[in-house]
């Protein structure tokens, strides 16, 4: 059994992926790992580059862009993870979802493994992520977008009172960025998950296409009794949206993800007037294309 299995989903980010793999295979420490690159039908020869330059990485090439959670599930299944209660004994002790636009310090993987080994109550953890300018990638520590948390964030109250524990919960801005912290979710750009937590929660929800699936996974892990932890002792560089910046679907999929998450986890406890206000706000943000999704009662939840 290996210590960690790393799944990297790639879509047309060859040079970022090259650098990411360089830092992964340059990792130091006493641990074992494997790497699975799942390519979502890139047209920039990403898969050929991996096969040529990093033969120790396994490459799975999808014939179409199936989205982030589904592609991650392809990699996770390849490593031996599966539906609740069906994870193979041979699967690595930890699974790591890693974006191709991240760059790891040499000791990052080893220190994250050490941290989670010391905290068996933690189902998933993530490091501090910094952007190109050195600032914090605020998505690396998140509160669940409940109706009220979302209201505080998008109404501007979080921006006016970032240190307030109620108003600043969306991005946990009330806490120092170097403070170790239990959070609702870490981001899928670097999300290390305990094998037993996957056995209990299952794989990513493929109703999402991109965005939201990490929040949903964390939510289900917490329902299973695990904690989610932000561990800023380790810092990872994140280019951020190297692929989605070129995708016309990205903004739409963000708001579609918020709709799925809301319906799945909060709709049943939301009264009708507030429910209608939430749908109106989502439609305003997501645009007319979201109306079709709002009218679809089979959309997750």
């Amino acid at each position: 059994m290996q210590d960690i299995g790393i799944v990297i989903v790639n879509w047309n980010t060859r040079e970022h992926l090259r650098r990411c793999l360089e830092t992964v295979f340059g990792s130091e420490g006493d641990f074992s790992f494997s790497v699975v690159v799942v390519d979502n039908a890139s047209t920039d020869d990403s898969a050929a580059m991996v096969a040529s330059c990093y033969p120790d990485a396994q490459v799975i090439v999808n014939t179409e862009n199936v989205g982030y959670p589904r592609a991650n599930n392809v990699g996770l299944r390849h490593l031996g993870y599966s539906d609740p209660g069906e994870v193979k004994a041979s699967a690595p002790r930890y699974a790591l979802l890693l974006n191709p636009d991240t760059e790891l310090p040499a000791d990052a993987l080893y220190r994250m493994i050490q941290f989670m080994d010391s905290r068996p109550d933690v189902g998933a953890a993530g490091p501090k992520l910094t952007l190109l300018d050195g600032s914090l990638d605020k998505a690396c520590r998140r509160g669940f977008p409940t109706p009220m948390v979302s209201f505080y964030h998008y109404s501007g109250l979080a921006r006016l009172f970032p240190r307030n524990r109620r108003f600043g919960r969306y991005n946990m801005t009330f806490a120092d960025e170097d403070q170790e912290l239990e959070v609702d979710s870490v981001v899928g750009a670097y999300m290390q998950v305990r094998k037993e937590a996957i056995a209990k929660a299952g794989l990513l929800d493929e109703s999402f296409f991109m965005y939201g699936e990490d929040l949903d996974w964390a939510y289900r892990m917490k329902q299973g009794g695990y904690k989610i932890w932000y561990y800023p002792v380790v810092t990872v560089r994140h280019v951020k949206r190297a692929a989605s910046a070129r995708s016309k679907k990205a903004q739409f999929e963000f708001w579609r993800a918020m709709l799925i998450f809301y319906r799945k986890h909060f709709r049943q406890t939301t009264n009708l007037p507030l429910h209608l206000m939430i749908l109106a706000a989502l439609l305003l943000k997501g645009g007319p294309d979201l109306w079709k999704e709002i009218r679809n009662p089979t959309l997750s939840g």
Side-chain angles (χ1 to χ4, degrees), residues 82-113:
S82 189
D83 296 322
E86 299 180 8
V87 172
K88 293 181 180 178
S90 60
R93 296 193 300 118
Y94 299 107
L96 173 61
L97 306 189
L98 186 67
N99 273 16
D101 58 355
T102 55
E103 298 176 10
L104 310 186
D107 62 350
L109 294 174
Y110 182 60
R111 295 179 79 177
M112 288 298 298
I113 291 170

Side-chain angles (χ1 to χ4, degrees), residues 23-24 26-28 103-110 190 234-237:
T23 64
V24 167
S27 295
E28 300 173 355
E103 298 176 10
L104 310 186
D107 62 350
L109 294 174
Y110 182 60
Y190 191 119
V234 175
T235 300
V236 169
R237 190 169 182 249

Side-chain angles (χ1 to χ4, degrees), residues 51-69:
S52 174
C53 300
Y54 299 97
D56 289 335
Q58 303 166 75
V59 184
I60 300 172
V61 179
N62 291 326
T63 57
E64 61 179 318
N65 185 352
V66 299
Y68 186 78

